[in-house]
Amino acid sequence: VQLVESGGGLVQAGGSLRLSCAASGLTFRSYAMGWFRQAPGQEREFLATISWSGGTTYYADSVKGRFTISRDNAKNTVYLQMNNLKPADTAVYYCASALDGSAYYTSQFYNYWGQGNQVTASS
């Protein structure tokens, strides 16, 4: 299984970025997907999750209303649209595939991870 993230970078506070995560080596449409991030010196933080069909999504309070998770099962890709970015959003962002099709809040239910993608929001 391989998860490859793209779309990170440097943006000014208030700006937007869209992360993509292309999956291979698994039956993508059968599994929920999630996005997490980790800032220096901090624990990995859950951001958003989406069920296998896209019908269920959950968000952390810290990003609710600013970030949107979506998926395209025909392209084996999950996305994270990030709007109104803040300096506190600066971190390495990871996508992950879940153990099954249900949407989960915590990292223990995810078994494959991408390599990480740096997002920096400058003030």
Side-chain angles (χ1 to χ4, degrees), residues 4 8-9 13-14 19 21 23 34 41 43 48 53 57 62 68-69 87 90 96 99 101 106 112 114 118:
V4 179
L19 299 180
C21 173
E43 294 186 354
S53 65
T57 57
S62 59
T68 303
I69 189 171
T90 296
L99 296 173
T106 56
Y112 294 106
Q118 178 69 44

Side-chain angles (χ1 to χ4, degrees), residues 48-61:
T49 181
I50 186 167
S51 62
W52 68 274
S53 65
T56 299
T57 57
Y58 296 118
Y59 296 91
D61 287 344

